Coordinates of all heavy atoms in Angstrom, one line a residue:
M1 N -1.5 64.7 -10.3 CA -0.6 63.8 -10.9 C 0.0 62.9 -9.7 O 0.3 61.8 -10.1 CB 0.5 64.5 -11.6 CG 1.4 63.8 -12.3 SD 0.8 63.4 -14.0 CE 2.2 63.8 -15.0
T2 N 0.1 63.4 -8.6 CA 0.7 62.6 -7.6 C -0.2 61.4 -7.2 O 0.3 60.3 -6.9 CB 0.9 63.4 -6.2 OG1 0.0 64.5 -6.2 CG2 2.3 63.8 -6.0
A3 N -1.5 61.5 -7.2 CA -2.5 60.4 -7.0 C -2.3 59.4 -8.0 O -2.3 58.2 -7.8 CB -3.8 60.9 -7.0
M4 N -2.1 59.8 -9.3 CA -1.9 58.9 -10.5 C -0.6 58.2 -10.4 O -0.5 57.0 -10.5 CB -1.9 59.7 -11.7 CG -2.1 58.8 -12.9 SD -2.4 60.0 -14.2 CE -2.2 59.1 -15.7
R5 N 0.5 58.8 -9.8 CA 1.8 58.2 -9.6 C 1.7 57.2 -8.5 O 2.3 56.1 -8.6 CB 2.8 59.3 -9.3 CG 4.2 58.7 -9.3 CD 5.2 59.7 -8.9 NE 5.4 60.6 -10.0 CZ 6.1 61.7 -10.1 NH1 6.6 62.1 -8.9 NH2 6.3 62.4 -11.2
R6 N 1.0 57.4 -7.4 CA 0.8 56.5 -6.3 C 0.1 55.3 -6.8 O 0.4 54.2 -6.4 CB 0.0 57.2 -5.2 CG 1.0 57.9 -4.3 CD 0.2 58.5 -3.1 NE -0.1 59.8 -3.4 CZ -1.0 60.5 -2.7 NH1 -1.6 60.0 -1.6 NH2 -1.2 61.7 -3.0
A7 N -0.9 55.3 -7.7 CA -1.5 54.2 -8.2 C -0.7 53.5 -9.3 O -0.8 52.2 -9.4 CB -2.9 54.6 -8.8
F8 N 0.2 54.2 -9.9 CA 1.0 53.6 -11.0 C 2.2 52.8 -10.4 O 2.5 51.7 -10.9 CB 1.6 54.7 -11.9 CG 2.4 54.3 -12.9 CD1 1.9 53.6 -14.0 CD2 3.8 54.4 -12.9 CE1 2.6 53.1 -15.1 CE2 4.5 54.0 -14.0 CZ 4.1 53.4 -15.1
L9 N 2.7 53.1 -9.3 CA 3.9 52.6 -8.7 C 3.5 51.1 -8.2 O 4.2 50.2 -8.4 CB 4.5 53.4 -7.6 CG 5.3 54.4 -8.0 CD1 5.8 55.4 -6.9 CD2 6.4 54.2 -9.0
P10 N 2.4 50.9 -7.5 CA 2.1 49.6 -7.1 C 1.7 48.7 -8.2 O 2.0 47.4 -8.3 CB 0.9 49.7 -6.2 CG 1.0 51.1 -5.7 CD 1.6 51.9 -6.8
A11 N 1.1 49.2 -9.3 CA 0.8 48.4 -10.5 C 2.1 48.0 -11.2 O 2.1 46.9 -11.6 CB -0.1 49.3 -11.4
C12 N 3.1 48.8 -11.3 CA 4.4 48.5 -11.9 C 5.1 47.4 -11.1 O 5.6 46.4 -11.5 CB 5.2 49.7 -11.9 SG 4.8 50.8 -13.2
A13 N 5.0 47.5 -9.7 CA 5.6 46.4 -8.8 C 4.9 45.1 -8.9 O 5.6 44.0 -9.1 CB 5.5 47.0 -7.4
L14 N 3.6 45.1 -9.2 CA 2.8 43.9 -9.3 C 3.3 43.2 -10.7 O 3.5 42.1 -10.7 CB 1.4 44.2 -9.3 CG 0.4 43.1 -9.4 CD1 0.6 42.0 -8.2 CD2 -1.0 43.5 -9.5
L15 N 3.3 44.1 -11.7 CA 3.7 43.5 -13.0 C 5.2 42.9 -13.0 O 5.5 41.9 -13.5 CB 3.6 44.6 -14.1 CG 2.3 44.9 -14.5 CD1 2.3 46.2 -15.6 CD2 1.6 43.7 -15.2
L16 N 6.2 43.7 -12.3 CA 7.5 43.1 -12.2 C 7.5 41.7 -11.3 O 8.3 41.0 -11.7 CB 8.4 44.1 -11.6 CG 8.7 45.3 -12.5 CD1 9.4 46.4 -11.7 CD2 9.5 45.0 -13.7
A17 N 6.8 41.7 -10.3 CA 6.7 40.5 -9.6 C 6.2 39.3 -10.3 O 6.6 38.2 -10.2 CB 5.8 40.7 -8.3
A18 N 5.2 39.6 -11.2 CA 4.7 38.5 -12.1 C 5.6 38.0 -13.0 O 5.6 36.9 -13.5 CB 3.4 39.1 -12.8
C19 N 6.6 38.9 -13.4 CA 7.6 38.5 -14.5 C 8.9 37.8 -13.8 O 9.7 37.3 -14.4 CB 8.2 39.7 -15.2 SG 6.8 40.4 -16.3
A20 N 8.9 37.8 -12.5 CA 10.0 37.2 -11.7 C 10.0 35.7 -12.0 O 9.0 35.1 -12.3 CB 9.9 37.4 -10.2
Q21 N 11.2 35.2 -12.1 CA 11.4 33.8 -12.4 C 10.9 32.9 -11.2 O 11.3 33.2 -10.1 CB 12.9 33.5 -12.7 CG 13.1 32.3 -13.4 CD 14.6 32.2 -13.8 OE1 15.5 32.6 -13.1 NE2 14.8 31.6 -15.0
Q22 N 10.1 31.9 -11.5 CA 9.7 31.1 -10.5 C 10.7 29.9 -10.3 O 11.4 29.5 -11.2 CB 8.3 30.4 -11.0 CG 7.1 31.3 -11.1 CD 6.7 32.0 -9.9 OE1 6.7 31.4 -8.9 NE2 6.4 33.3 -9.9
P23 N 10.8 29.4 -9.0 CA 11.7 28.4 -8.8 C 11.3 27.1 -9.5 O 10.1 26.9 -9.7 CB 11.7 28.2 -7.2 CG 10.5 28.8 -6.8 CD 10.1 29.8 -7.9
P24 N 12.1 26.3 -9.9 CA 11.7 25.1 -10.6 C 10.9 24.1 -9.7 O 11.2 24.1 -8.5 CB 13.1 24.3 -11.0 CG 14.1 25.0 -10.1 CD 13.6 26.3 -9.7
A25 N 10.0 23.5 -10.3 CA 9.1 22.5 -9.5 C 10.0 21.4 -9.1 O 10.8 20.8 -9.8 CB 7.9 22.2 -10.4
A26 N 9.6 20.9 -7.9 CA 10.3 19.7 -7.4 C 9.9 18.5 -8.2 O 8.7 18.4 -8.6 CB 10.1 19.5 -5.9
P27 N 10.8 17.6 -8.5 CA 10.4 16.3 -9.2 C 9.4 15.6 -8.4 O 9.5 15.5 -7.2 CB 11.7 15.6 -9.5 CG 12.6 16.1 -8.4 CD 12.2 17.4 -8.2
P28 N 8.5 14.9 -9.0 CA 7.5 14.0 -8.3 C 8.2 12.9 -7.5 O 9.2 12.4 -8.0 CB 6.6 13.4 -9.4 CG 7.4 13.6 -10.7 CD 8.3 14.7 -10.5
A29 N 7.7 12.7 -6.3 CA 8.3 11.8 -5.4 C 8.1 10.4 -6.0 O 7.0 10.0 -6.4 CB 7.7 11.9 -4.0
S30 N 9.1 9.6 -5.9 CA 8.9 8.1 -6.3 C 8.2 7.4 -5.2 O 8.3 7.7 -4.1 CB 10.2 7.5 -6.7 OG 11.1 7.6 -5.6
P31 N 7.5 6.3 -5.6 CA 6.8 5.6 -4.5 C 7.8 5.0 -3.5 O 9.0 4.6 -4.0 CB 6.0 4.5 -5.2 CG 6.7 4.4 -6.6 CD 7.2 5.8 -6.8
P32 N 7.5 4.9 -2.2 CA 8.5 4.3 -1.3 C 8.7 2.8 -1.7 O 7.8 2.2 -2.1 CB 7.9 4.5 0.1 CG 6.4 4.6 -0.3 CD 6.3 5.2 -1.7
P33 N 9.8 2.3 -1.3 CA 10.1 0.8 -1.5 C 9.3 0.0 -0.6 O 8.9 0.6 0.5 CB 11.6 0.7 -1.3 CG 11.9 1.9 -0.4 CD 11.0 3.0 -0.7
P34 N 9.0 -1.2 -0.9 CA 8.2 -1.9 0.0 C 9.0 -2.1 1.3 O 10.2 -2.1 1.2 CB 7.9 -3.3 -0.7 CG 8.9 -3.3 -1.8 CD 9.3 -1.9 -2.1
P35 N 8.3 -2.2 2.4 CA 8.9 -2.4 3.7 C 9.8 -3.6 3.7 O 9.5 -4.6 3.1 CB 7.7 -2.4 4.7 CG 6.5 -2.5 4.0 CD 6.8 -2.2 2.5
A36 N 10.7 -3.7 4.6 CA 11.6 -4.8 4.7 C 10.8 -6.0 5.2 O 11.2 -7.2 5.0 CB 12.8 -4.5 5.7
S37 N 9.6 -5.8 5.8 CA 8.9 -6.9 6.2 C 7.8 -7.3 5.3 O 6.9 -7.9 5.7 CB 8.3 -6.5 7.6 OG 7.5 -5.4 7.5
A38 N 8.0 -7.0 4.0 CA 7.0 -7.3 3.0 C 6.9 -8.8 2.9 O 7.7 -9.5 3.0 CB 7.4 -6.6 1.7
C39 N 5.7 -9.3 2.5 CA 5.3 -10.7 2.4 C 6.0 -11.3 1.3 O 6.2 -10.7 0.2 CB 3.8 -10.8 2.3 SG 3.2 -12.4 2.1
N40 N 6.4 -12.6 1.5 CA 7.0 -13.4 0.4 C 6.2 -14.7 0.5 O 6.6 -15.7 1.2 CB 8.4 -13.7 0.7 CG 9.1 -14.6 -0.3 OD1 8.4 -15.0 -1.3 ND2 10.3 -15.1 0.1
A41 N 5.1 -14.8 -0.4 CA 4.3 -16.0 -0.5 C 5.0 -17.2 -0.9 O 4.6 -18.4 -0.5 CB 3.2 -15.7 -1.4
D42 N 6.2 -17.2 -1.6 CA 6.8 -18.5 -2.0 C 7.2 -19.3 -0.8 O 7.4 -20.6 -1.0 CB 8.1 -18.0 -2.9 CG 7.7 -17.4 -4.3 OD1 6.6 -17.6 -4.7 OD2 8.6 -16.7 -4.8
A43 N 7.5 -18.6 0.2 CA 8.1 -19.3 1.5 C 6.9 -20.2 2.1 O 7.3 -21.0 3.0 CB 8.6 -18.3 2.5
A44 N 5.7 -20.2 1.6 CA 4.6 -20.8 2.3 C 3.8 -21.8 1.3 O 2.8 -22.2 1.7 CB 3.7 -19.9 3.0
Q45 N 4.3 -21.9 0.2 CA 3.6 -22.8 -0.9 C 3.5 -24.2 -0.4 O 2.7 -24.9 -0.8 CB 4.2 -22.6 -2.2 CG 4.1 -21.3 -2.8 CD 2.7 -20.7 -2.8 OE1 1.7 -21.4 -3.3 NE2 2.6 -19.6 -2.3
Y46 N 4.3 -24.6 0.6 CA 4.4 -26.0 1.1 C 3.0 -26.3 1.8 O 2.5 -27.4 1.9 CB 5.5 -26.2 2.2 CG 5.2 -25.5 3.4 CD1 4.6 -26.2 4.5 CD2 5.6 -24.2 3.5 CE1 4.3 -25.4 5.7 CE2 5.3 -23.5 4.8 CZ 4.7 -24.1 5.7 OH 4.4 -23.4 6.9
A47 N 2.3 -25.2 2.2 CA 1.0 -25.4 3.0 C -0.2 -25.7 2.0 O -1.2 -26.2 2.6 CB 0.7 -24.2 3.8
V48 N -0.1 -25.5 0.8 CA -1.2 -25.7 -0.2 C -1.6 -27.2 -0.1 O -0.7 -28.1 -0.3 CB -0.9 -25.3 -1.6 CG1 -2.1 -25.7 -2.5 CG2 -0.6 -23.8 -1.6
G49 N -2.9 -27.5 0.1 CA -3.4 -28.8 0.2 C -3.5 -29.4 1.6 O -4.1 -30.4 1.8
R50 N -2.9 -28.7 2.6 CA -3.0 -29.1 3.9 C -4.3 -28.4 4.6 O -4.7 -27.5 4.2 CB -1.7 -28.7 4.7 CG -0.5 -29.4 4.2 CD 0.8 -28.9 4.9 NE 0.8 -29.1 6.3 CZ 1.8 -28.8 7.1 NH1 2.8 -28.1 6.6 NH2 1.6 -29.0 8.5
P51 N -4.8 -29.1 5.6 CA -5.9 -28.5 6.4 C -5.4 -27.2 7.1 O -4.4 -27.2 7.7 CB -6.3 -29.6 7.4 CG -5.6 -30.9 7.0 CD -4.5 -30.4 6.1
Q52 N -6.3 -26.3 7.1 CA -6.1 -24.9 7.7 C -6.2 -25.1 9.3 O -7.1 -25.6 9.7 CB -6.9 -23.9 7.2 CG -6.7 -22.5 7.8 CD -7.7 -22.2 9.0 OE1 -8.8 -22.7 9.0 NE2 -7.2 -21.7 10.0
T53 N -5.2 -24.8 10.0 CA -5.2 -24.8 11.4 C -4.6 -23.4 11.9 O -3.8 -22.9 11.2 CB -4.4 -26.0 12.1 OG1 -3.1 -25.8 11.8 CG2 -5.0 -27.3 11.7
A54 N -4.9 -23.1 13.1 CA -4.3 -21.9 13.7 C -2.8 -21.9 13.8 O -2.2 -21.0 13.3 CB -4.9 -21.5 15.0
P55 N -2.3 -23.1 14.2 CA -0.8 -23.1 14.3 C -0.1 -23.1 12.8 O 0.9 -22.3 12.7 CB -0.5 -24.4 14.9 CG -1.6 -24.8 15.7 CD -2.8 -24.1 14.9
L56 N -0.8 -23.6 11.9 CA -0.2 -23.7 10.5 C -0.3 -22.1 10.0 O 0.6 -21.7 9.3 CB -1.0 -24.6 9.6 CG -0.6 -24.6 8.1 CD1 1.0 -25.0 8.0 CD2 -1.4 -25.7 7.4
V57 N -1.5 -21.5 10.2 CA -1.5 -20.1 9.6 C -0.4 -19.2 10.3 O 0.2 -18.4 9.6 CB -2.9 -19.5 9.9 CG1 -3.1 -18.1 9.6 CG2 -4.1 -20.4 9.1
E58 N -0.2 -19.4 11.6 CA 0.8 -18.6 12.2 C 2.2 -18.9 11.7 O 3.1 -18.1 11.4 CB 0.8 -18.9 13.8 CG 1.9 -18.2 14.5 CD 1.9 -16.7 14.4 OE1 0.9 -16.1 13.9 OE2 2.9 -16.1 14.7
E59 N 2.4 -20.3 11.4 CA 3.7 -20.6 10.7 C 3.9 -20.0 9.3 O 4.9 -19.4 9.0 CB 3.8 -22.1 10.7 CG 5.1 -22.7 10.1 CD 5.1 -24.2 10.0 OE1 4.6 -24.8 10.9 OE2 5.7 -24.6 9.0
I60 N 2.7 -20.0 8.6 CA 2.7 -19.3 7.3 C 3.0 -17.8 7.4 O 3.9 -17.3 6.7 CB 1.4 -19.6 6.6 CG1 1.2 -21.0 6.2 CG2 1.3 -18.6 5.4 CD1 -0.2 -21.4 5.7
R61 N 2.4 -17.2 8.4 CA 2.7 -15.8 8.6 C 4.2 -15.6 8.9 O 4.8 -14.7 8.4 CB 1.8 -15.2 9.8 CG 2.0 -13.7 10.0 CD 1.4 -13.3 11.3 NE 2.2 -13.8 12.4 CZ 3.4 -13.3 12.8 NH1 4.0 -12.3 12.1 NH2 4.0 -13.8 13.8
Q62 N 4.7 -16.3 9.8 CA 6.1 -16.1 10.1 C 7.1 -16.4 9.0 O 8.0 -15.7 8.7 CB 6.4 -17.0 11.3 CG 5.9 -16.6 12.7 CD 6.2 -17.6 13.8 OE1 6.9 -18.5 13.7 NE2 5.5 -17.3 14.9
R63 N 6.8 -17.5 8.3 CA 7.7 -17.9 7.2 C 7.7 -16.9 6.1 O 8.6 -16.7 5.3 CB 7.4 -19.3 6.6 CG 7.9 -20.3 7.5 CD 7.7 -21.7 6.8 NE 8.2 -22.7 7.7 CZ 8.5 -23.9 7.3 NH1 8.5 -24.2 6.0 NH2 8.8 -24.9 8.2
T64 N 6.5 -16.3 5.8 CA 6.4 -15.2 4.6 C 6.9 -13.9 5.1 O 7.1 -13.0 4.3 CB 4.9 -15.2 4.2 OG1 4.1 -14.7 5.3 CG2 4.4 -16.4 3.6
G65 N 7.1 -13.7 6.3 CA 7.5 -12.4 6.8 C 6.4 -11.4 7.0 O 6.6 -10.2 7.2
A66 N 5.2 -11.8 6.9 CA 4.0 -10.9 6.9 C 3.7 -10.6 8.5 O 4.0 -11.3 9.2 CB 2.8 -11.6 6.3
H67 N 3.2 -9.4 8.6 CA 2.8 -9.0 9.9 C 1.3 -9.4 10.1 O 1.0 -9.6 11.4 CB 2.8 -7.5 10.0 CG 4.2 -6.9 10.2 ND1 4.4 -5.6 10.6 CD2 5.4 -7.5 10.0 CE1 5.7 -5.4 10.7 NE2 6.3 -6.6 10.4
I68 N 0.6 -9.7 9.2 CA -0.8 -10.1 9.3 C -1.1 -11.3 8.4 O -0.7 -11.3 7.3 CB -1.8 -8.9 8.8 CG1 -1.5 -7.6 9.6 CG2 -3.3 -9.2 9.1 CD1 -2.1 -6.4 8.9
A69 N -2.0 -12.2 9.1 CA -2.5 -13.3 8.2 C -4.0 -13.3 8.1 O -4.6 -13.0 9.1 CB -2.0 -14.6 8.9
R70 N -4.5 -13.5 7.0 CA -6.0 -13.4 6.8 C -6.5 -14.6 6.1 O -5.8 -15.1 5.0 CB -6.2 -12.2 5.9 CG -7.8 -12.0 5.5 CD -8.0 -10.7 5.0 NE -7.5 -10.5 3.5 CZ -7.9 -9.6 2.7 NH1 -8.7 -8.7 3.1 NH2 -7.4 -9.5 1.5
I71 N -7.4 -15.3 6.6 CA -8.0 -16.5 6.1 C -9.2 -16.1 5.2 O -10.0 -15.4 5.7 CB -8.4 -17.5 7.1 CG1 -7.3 -17.9 8.1 CG2 -9.0 -18.7 6.5 CD1 -7.6 -18.6 9.3
L72 N -9.1 -16.6 4.0 CA -10.2 -16.2 3.0 C -11.0 -17.5 2.7 O -10.5 -18.5 2.2 CB -9.6 -15.7 1.6 CG -8.7 -14.4 1.8 CD1 -8.2 -14.0 0.5 CD2 -9.5 -13.3 2.5
R73 N -12.2 -17.5 3.1 CA -13.2 -18.7 2.9 C -14.1 -18.5 1.6 O -14.2 -17.3 1.2 CB -13.9 -18.8 4.2 CG -13.1 -19.0 5.5 CD -13.9 -19.2 6.7 NE -13.2 -19.2 8.0 CZ -12.2 -20.0 8.2 NH1 -12.0 -21.0 7.6 NH2 -11.5 -19.8 9.4
P74 N -14.6 -19.6 1.2 CA -15.4 -19.5 0.1 C -16.7 -18.5 0.3 O -17.2 -18.5 1.4 CB -15.9 -20.9 -0.2 CG -15.0 -21.7 0.5 CD -14.5 -21.0 1.6
N75 N -16.8 -17.7 -0.7 CA -18.0 -16.7 -0.7 C -17.9 -15.7 0.4 O -18.8 -15.0 0.8 CB -19.3 -17.4 -0.6 CG -19.5 -18.4 -1.8 OD1 -19.3 -18.1 -2.9 ND2 -20.0 -19.6 -1.4
Q76 N -16.8 -15.4 1.0 CA -16.5 -14.5 2.0 C -16.3 -13.2 1.4 O -15.6 -13.0 0.4 CB -15.3 -14.8 2.9 CG -15.0 -13.8 4.0 CD -13.8 -14.3 4.8 OE1 -13.3 -15.4 4.6 NE2 -13.3 -13.4 5.6
V77 N -16.9 -12.2 2.0 CA -16.7 -10.7 1.5 C -15.4 -10.2 2.1 O -15.2 -10.3 3.2 CB -17.9 -9.9 1.8 CG1 -17.7 -8.4 1.4 CG2 -19.2 -10.5 1.2
V78 N -14.6 -9.7 1.3 CA -13.2 -9.1 1.8 C -13.0 -7.9 1.0 O -13.5 -7.5 0.0 CB -12.0 -10.2 1.5 CG1 -12.2 -11.5 2.2 CG2 -11.9 -10.4 0.0
T79 N -12.1 -7.0 1.8 CA -11.7 -5.8 1.1 C -10.6 -6.2 0.1 O -9.9 -7.2 0.2 CB -11.0 -4.9 2.3 OG1 -9.9 -5.6 2.8 CG2 -12.1 -4.5 3.3
M80 N -10.4 -5.3 -0.9 CA -9.5 -5.6 -2.0 C -8.3 -4.8 -2.0 O -7.5 -4.8 -3.0 CB -10.3 -5.4 -3.3 CG -11.5 -6.4 -3.5 SD -11.0 -8.1 -3.4 CE -10.0 -8.3 -5.0
E81 N -8.0 -3.9 -1.0 CA -6.8 -3.2 -1.0 C -5.6 -4.0 -0.8 O -5.7 -5.1 -0.1 CB -6.9 -2.0 0.2 CG -6.5 -2.5 1.5 CD -7.5 -3.3 2.3 OE1 -8.6 -3.5 1.9 OE2 -7.2 -3.8 3.4
F82 N -4.5 -3.6 -1.4 CA -3.3 -4.4 -1.3 C -2.6 -4.0 -0.1 O -2.4 -2.8 0.2 CB -2.4 -4.3 -2.5 CG -1.2 -4.9 -2.5 CD1 -1.1 -6.3 -2.9 CD2 0.0 -4.5 -2.1 CE1 0.0 -7.1 -2.9 CE2 1.2 -5.2 -2.0 CZ 1.2 -6.5 -2.4
N83 N -2.0 -5.0 0.7 CA -1.3 -4.8 1.8 C 0.0 -5.6 1.8 O -0.1 -6.8 1.9 CB -2.1 -5.0 3.1 CG -1.2 -4.7 4.4 OD1 -0.1 -4.5 4.4 ND2 -2.0 -4.6 5.4
A84 N 1.2 -5.1 1.5 CA 2.4 -5.8 1.3 C 2.8 -6.6 2.6 O 3.7 -7.4 2.5 CB 3.5 -4.9 0.9
E85 N 2.3 -6.3 3.6 CA 2.5 -6.9 4.9 C 1.6 -7.9 5.4 O 1.6 -8.4 6.5 CB 2.7 -5.8 6.0 CG 4.0 -4.9 5.8 CD 4.1 -3.9 6.9 OE1 3.5 -3.9 7.9 OE2 5.1 -3.1 6.8
R86 N 0.7 -8.3 4.5 CA -0.3 -9.2 4.8 C -0.3 -10.5 3.9 O 0.0 -10.4 2.7 CB -1.7 -8.6 4.7 CG -2.8 -9.4 4.9 CD -4.2 -8.9 4.8 NE -4.4 -8.4 3.5 CZ -5.2 -7.3 3.2 NH1 -5.9 -6.7 4.2 NH2 -5.4 -6.9 2.1
V87 N -0.4 -11.7 4.5 CA -0.5 -12.9 3.7 C -2.0 -13.4 3.9 O -2.7 -13.4 4.8 CB 0.4 -14.0 4.3 CG1 0.1 -14.5 5.7 CG2 0.4 -15.2 3.3
N88 N -2.5 -13.8 2.6 CA -3.8 -14.4 2.6 C -3.7 -15.9 2.4 O -3.0 -16.3 1.4 CB -4.6 -13.7 1.3 CG -4.8 -12.3 1.5 OD1 -5.4 -11.8 2.5 ND2 -4.4 -11.5 0.5
V89 N -4.4 -16.6 3.3 CA -4.5 -18.0 3.2 C -5.9 -18.4 2.7 O -6.9 -18.1 3.4 CB -4.3 -18.6 4.6 CG1 -4.3 -20.2 4.5 CG2 -2.9 -18.2 5.1
V90 N -6.0 -18.8 1.5 CA -7.3 -19.2 0.8 C -7.6 -20.6 1.1 O -6.8 -21.5 0.9 CB -7.2 -18.9 -0.7 CG1 -8.6 -19.1 -1.3 CG2 -6.7 -17.5 -1.0
V91 N -8.8 -20.9 1.7 CA -9.3 -22.3 1.9 C -10.5 -22.6 1.2 O -11.3 -21.7 0.8 CB -9.5 -22.4 3.5 CG1 -8.2 -22.3 4.2 CG2 -10.5 -21.6 4.1
D92 N -10.8 -23.9 0.9 CA -12.0 -24.2 0.3 C -13.1 -24.7 1.3 O -12.8 -24.5 2.5 CB -11.6 -25.5 -0.7 CG -11.1 -26.7 0.1 OD1 -11.3 -26.8 1.3 OD2 -10.6 -27.6 -0.6
A93 N -14.1 -25.2 0.8 CA -15.3 -25.5 1.7 C -14.8 -26.7 2.8 O -15.5 -26.8 3.8 CB -16.5 -26.0 0.9
E94 N -13.8 -27.4 2.5 CA -13.4 -28.5 3.3 C -12.3 -28.0 4.3 O -11.6 -28.8 5.0 CB -13.0 -29.8 2.6 CG -14.1 -30.6 2.0 CD -14.6 -30.0 0.7 OE1 -13.8 -29.5 -0.1 OE2 -15.8 -29.9 0.5
N95 N -12.0 -26.7 4.3 CA -11.0 -26.0 5.2 C -9.6 -26.5 4.7 O -8.7 -26.4 5.5 CB -11.3 -26.3 6.6 CG -10.7 -25.2 7.4 OD1 -10.7 -24.1 7.1 ND2 -10.1 -25.6 8.6
R96 N -9.3 -26.9 3.5 CA -8.0 -27.1 3.0 C -7.5 -25.9 2.3 O -8.2 -25.2 1.5 CB -8.1 -28.3 2.0 CG -8.3 -29.6 2.6 CD -7.7 -30.7 1.8 NE -7.8 -32.0 2.5 CZ -7.0 -32.4 3.4 NH1 -5.9 -31.8 3.7 NH2 -7.3 -33.6 4.0
I97 N -6.2 -25.6 2.5 CA -5.6 -24.4 1.9 C -5.4 -24.7 0.4 O -4.9 -25.7 -0.1 CB -4.2 -24.2 2.6 CG1 -4.3 -23.9 4.0 CG2 -3.5 -23.0 1.9 CD1 -3.1 -23.7 4.9
T98 N -6.0 -23.7 -0.4 CA -5.9 -23.8 -1.9 C -4.9 -22.9 -2.4 O -4.4 -23.0 -3.6 CB -7.3 -23.6 -2.5 OG1 -7.7 -22.3 -2.2 CG2 -8.3 -24.7 -2.0
A99 N -4.5 -21.8 -1.6 CA -3.5 -20.8 -2.2 C -3.1 -20.0 -0.9 O -3.7 -19.8 0.0 CB -4.3 -19.9 -3.2
V100 N -1.8 -19.6 -1.2 CA -1.2 -18.7 -0.2 C -0.6 -17.5 -1.0 O 0.1 -17.8 -1.9 CB -0.1 -19.3 0.6 CG1 0.5 -18.3 1.5 CG2 -0.6 -20.4 1.5
R101 N -1.1 -16.2 -0.8 CA -0.7 -15.3 -1.6 C -0.5 -13.9 -0.7 O -1.2 -13.8 0.3 CB -1.4 -15.0 -2.8 CG -3.0 -14.8 -2.6 CD -3.6 -14.5 -3.9 NE -5.1 -14.4 -3.6 CZ -6.1 -15.2 -3.9 NH1 -5.7 -16.4 -4.4 NH2 -7.3 -15.1 -3.5
C102 N 0.3 -13.0 -1.1 CA 0.4 -11.8 -0.4 C -0.5 -10.8 -0.8 O -1.0 -10.8 -1.9 CB 1.9 -11.2 -0.6 SG 3.1 -12.4 0.1
G103 N -0.8 -9.8 0.0 CA -1.8 -8.7 -0.4 C -2.7 -8.4 0.7 O -3.6 -7.6 0.8

């Protein structure tokens, strides 16, 4: 009977542990707010229609608050991930800016 009692006690302990109350789950984390340096494309709409130059692209980057400026040319393959700290300067075949947008 002692061998049976020794096997019975751990089984009871296991059952009691299974019935113990679990701590409440933490609420899901909300997405972080955009960084303070997030891009604001409205500040650079003045450049649409102008020829793309390196100084103008740098000015666009600074005015939008972006950390990175990317020039998008016709038929160019680009990554599609969104980056709130990047400004995209879209140009046409004549190298004129057709759009300025963040991402």
Side-chain angles (χ1 to χ4, degrees):
M1 188 89 133
T2 26
M4 194 168 169
R5 186 178 288 170
R6 276 186 263 169
F8 181 71
L9 288 176
C12 286
L14 184 63
L15 286 173
L16 288 174
C19 294
Q21 199 173 37
Q22 298 293 325
S30 59
S37 61
C39 175
N40 174 12
D42 293 338
Q45 295 307 309
Y46 72 93
V48 173
R50 294 176 61 183
Q52 178 267 319
T53 63
L56 180 57
V57 171
E58 177 58 18
E59 184 179 325
I60 290 169
R61 187 195 64 75
Q62 289 176 7
R63 286 192 181 199
T64 60
H67 282 195
I68 304 165
R70 176 170 72 166
I71 301 167
L72 303 177
R73 302 184 191 292
N75 302 316
Q76 178 181 349
V77 178
V78 295
T79 60
M80 297 302 292
E81 84 283 355
F82 182 82
N83 182 343
E85 295 183 358
R86 178 176 59 207
V87 63
N88 292 308
V89 180
V90 183
V91 298
D92 63 14
E94 285 79 41
N95 205 37
R96 290 212 176 269
I97 297 172
T98 59
V100 177
R101 58 181 179 251
C102 297

